[in-house]
Amino acid sequence: MQVLVRDNNVDQALRVLKKMQREGIFREMKARKAYEKPSERKTREKAEAVRRSRKLARKQAIREGLIAAPKPKPRFAGPRRPVTAPGVGSPTPTAEPKV
């Protein structure tokens, strides 16, 4: 599979890739690569149906206030401070006997 990058526009190519991922094209290509037995297909489809119904029930319970909504993940972490090794950076006071 190829996505052509025109005029060095990488953002547009990434958008196309993300869209394909959302639509499930990669998952379908992987599934079609090898034969899937009918029994395995039924098992997979049942598991997908269970997953969908649990997700729907969870969303409905959140809407009704029965369970708390998950905390949103932070998008960007703040600026990190550089970690200095002991003995490097600010001098540490040494224990000297007082006279």
Side-chain angles (χ1 to χ4, degrees):
M1 175 168 291
Q2 291 180 343
V3 175
L4 298 176
V5 179
R6 296 185 188 134
D7 301 326
N8 289 332
N9 194 350
V10 179
D11 292 332
Q12 186 178 6
L14 281 174
R15 255 186 267 134
V16 170
L17 280 173
K18 287 180 182 180
K19 181 179 178 185
M20 290 168 60
Q21 187 178 12
R22 274 195 307 268
E23 291 174 353
I25 292 175
F26 295 124
R27 193 179 315 119
E28 189 173 337
M29 284 175 46
K30 184 178 178 185
R32 289 178 185 237
K33 195 184 302 185
Y35 177 73
E36 185 178 22
K37 289 170 42 179
S39 60
E40 291 173 349
R41 182 172 154 249
K42 287 178 190 174
T43 305
R44 177 182 51 81
E45 288 178 351
K46 281 184 183 179
E48 288 173 358
V50 167
R51 206 173 299 123
R52 277 193 308 270
S53 66
R54 283 185 181 160
K55 183 177 181 180
L56 214 154
R58 184 172 54 245
K59 284 187 173 188
Q60 186 174 2
I62 289 171
R63 257 186 264 121
E64 294 173 357
L66 299 175
I67 59 174
K71 294 181 182 177
K73 294 180 183 177
R75 288 190 168 217
F76 298 105
R80 293 185 177 184
R81 285 197 263 168
V83 179
T84 58
V88 178
S90 63
T92 56
T94 55
E96 294 182 13
K98 292 185 180 182
V99 180

